[in-house]
Amino acid sequence: MDIKFLLYTTLGIMLGSCTAKTAVEESSSQVPTTENVAKLTPEQIRNAGIVTALPKVWPVSSVLRLNGKIDVPPQNMISVSAPLGGYLKSTNLLPGMPVQKGQVLAVLEDQQYIQLQEDYLVGCARIKYLETEYERQKSLNTSKSVSDKNFQQAEADFRAQQAAVSALAEKLRLVGINPRQTSADRISRSVKVCSPISGYVSRVNVNIGKYLTPAEVLFELINPQDIHLALKVFEKDLDKIHKGQQVLAFTNSRPERKVPCEVILVSKDLSAERTAEIHCHFQKYEPDLMPGTFMNAELAMDSRNATILPDDAIVTFEGKEYIFIPGKEGFAMTAVQTGTSENGVTEILSPTGLEETLCVTKGAYSLLMFLKNKSDQ
């Protein structure tokens, strides 16, 4: 009997001990954790500059980030050469110098210019004789005083001379000499090479005294008024781009300066790297934007309504992003997932339903520092 009593007593003590332990564990598990809650006094809140506000619902655009460089269309790049060649007598051009349409770029001289003017003047003098002879033969042929053969020969000589003089006149215009201003006492051994556009000099390929052939390029000029931005786009993003989309371009040296552009052409030709080019037109000409300059760009995709908070409301800790939500226990550090960021605000993807929840919009980093210092103690 005593053995049974002792056994029952021992089992009762053990069961009582387990029940007490379970109750303690359950009660401790119901105590809320406060390691991610910053509890500040009113004075600390004022000193930290903490401000709360409701998130806003605002239209935001997905942004595709691209890079490329400023390009010039072929019609705005001019290679200047001498149609008949010659020796370079003078020029004062340097790369980068501005030029105006009709401005003298260089002066060439050669004896062929003298010969060309001589041939033209001789041709003009001869054409007068042949015209008179043609009219005389025509009159005689009408009265049958000469044969048709003589009349036809006179007409052929006159027409051939007319063609020769017209061709010589065009050659003179080609080298910049006005045929109407050419006379026996106004023969020049030099010609002027003038600029066909307004712009600036991109390259100078000559020096004084050099003989230039018609195939050689003297200068290369660029008209920057119609420069455009050529951007590279990967194949997977091509279907998201269309004519008329807005682009903000900027350089690495001045990222804060955004230059507005508009997509004017989407290439359908893919390179070996599986990229295609899109061409964007600058909405306003900027003189300091030079061809060949590398630029980054942000292309606005689709627009949608999203819940946004100021960038100052979001903090990053251990590779994750958080916001602070005020409550009875203090400011709760809440993990979030973010989306598009632009113009100082960031889209909040999750948690959803924050539109009617107060959030800390200023002083979030002060709260983070408070929690980190608390955890280090």
Side-chain angles (χ1 to χ4, degrees):
M1 190 72 177
D2 292 338
I3 296 175
K4 289 183 178 180
F5 176 78
L6 181 60
L7 179 61
Y8 289 145
T9 303
T10 303
L11 289 173
I13 293 172
M14 292 177 64
L15 289 172
S17 175
C18 291
T19 303
K21 183 177 181 182
T22 302
V24 171
E25 289 178 350
E26 289 178 354
S27 62
S28 64
S29 65
Q30 293 174 0
V31 176
T33 178
T34 58
E35 62 179 2
N36 285 335
V37 177
K39 191 171 184 179
L40 279 68
T41 64
E43 184 179 356
Q44 287 175 320
I45 293 174
R46 286 194 301 271
N47 292 337
I50 294 173
V51 177
T52 60
L54 292 174
K56 295 181 180 179
V57 177
W58 202 262
V60 297
S61 300
S62 297
V63 175
L64 182 62
R65 288 174 172 81
L66 306 169
N67 57 71
K69 65 179 181 178
I70 298 176
D71 202 358
V72 182
Q75 63 269 24
N76 284 49
M77 300 180 65
I78 307 296
S79 296
V80 180
S81 58
L84 295 183
Y87 292 94
L88 182 64
K89 181 180 179 181
S90 64
T91 185
N92 62 349
L93 294 187
L94 292 173
M97 289 182 62
V99 294
Q100 299 298 320
K101 185 176 182 178
Q103 176 182 333
V104 177
L105 304 179
V107 176
L108 301 178
E109 61 180 14
D110 195 83
Q111 62 179 3
Q112 63 181 323
Y113 302 133
I114 301 173
Q115 186 65 50
L116 183 59
Q117 294 169 86
E118 178 186 352
D119 293 343
Y120 174 74
L121 292 174
V122 170
C124 289
R126 179 167 173 76
I127 201 172
K128 292 180 180 178
Y129 162 74
L130 293 176
E131 183 179 12
T132 302
E133 179 64 16
Y134 164 68
E135 294 295 338
R136 188 175 72 85
Q137 291 292 334
K138 183 178 179 180
S139 176
L140 292 175
N141 183 257
T142 303
S143 61
K144 299 300 180 180
S145 300
V146 296
S147 64
D148 291 342
K149 180 180 178 180
N150 291 339
F151 167 68
Q152 292 171 355
Q153 183 63 50
E155 183 180 18
D157 292 343
F158 172 59
R159 300 302 182 194
Q161 191 63 28
Q162 275 186 320
V165 171
S166 296
L168 289 169
E170 288 303 315
K171 286 184 178 181
L172 289 173
R173 293 189 185 96
L174 188 63
V175 299
I177 299 175
N178 189 344
R180 296 184 179 181
Q181 296 179 355
T182 302
S183 61
D185 55 351
R186 297 183 65 181
I187 296 178
S188 174
R189 66 179 183 180
S190 62
V191 296
K192 298 176 180 178
V193 179
C194 299
S195 175
I197 62 168
S198 295
Y200 66 90
V201 181
S202 65
R203 186 172 298 178
V204 177
N205 301 321
V206 295
N207 54 269
I208 303 298
K210 181 179 180 180
Y211 182 81
L212 304 167
T213 65
E216 289 187 75
V217 176
L218 283 68
F219 314 103
E220 292 183 7
L221 310 179
I222 290 179
N223 178 6
Q225 295 292 335
D226 195 30
I227 59 176
H228 64 261
L229 181 61
L231 300 172
K232 292 188 179 297
V233 181
F234 284 101
E235 180 183 6
K236 64 182 180 66
D237 297 320
L238 271 180
D239 59 341
K240 306 172 187 175
I241 300 173
H242 56 81
K243 184 178 178 181
Q245 283 179 302
Q246 299 301 305
V247 178
L248 292 177
F250 55 93
T251 60
N252 289 329
S253 59
R254 297 183 62 183
E256 76 286 351
R257 179 197 180 195
K258 303 294 177 70
V259 184
C261 310
E262 181 181 343
V263 177
I264 59 172
L265 180 65
V266 180
S267 174
K268 304 300 181 182
D269 184 24
L270 292 174
S271 67
E273 294 80 20
R274 311 305 295 173
T275 62
E277 279 194 344
I278 64 170
H279 298 272
C280 307
H281 179 73
F282 290 100
Q283 295 182 0
K284 182 181 178 182
Y285 169 62
E286 302 286 348
D288 60 333
L289 294 178
M290 306 296 289
T293 301
F294 286 94
M295 298 194 79
N296 301 313
E298 297 175 348
L299 187 146
M301 307 290 282
D302 54 337
S303 180
R304 66 187 187 284
N305 289 331
T307 303
I308 62 170
L309 281 172
D311 292 343
D312 292 340
I314 303 168
V315 297
T316 302
F317 180 63
E318 294 183 346
K320 297 181 179 180
E321 294 179 307
Y322 299 88
I323 62 172
F324 285 91
I325 298 177
K328 293 182 180 180
E329 298 296 327
F331 297 93
M333 185 174 172
T334 305
V336 294
Q337 289 184 355
T338 60
T340 302
S341 295
E342 60 179 16
N343 301 324
V345 297
T346 299
E347 176 187 7
I348 305 299
L349 299 177
S350 68
T352 58
L354 288 178
E355 295 84 356
E356 299 181 359
T357 303
L358 281 175
C359 299
V360 174
T361 55
K362 289 186 179 180
Y365 271 101
S366 297
L367 293 174
L368 178 64
M369 293 300 103
F370 178 84
L371 286 177
K372 288 182 64 177
N373 292 335
K374 180 180 175 182
S375 63
D376 290 341
Q377 292 176 357

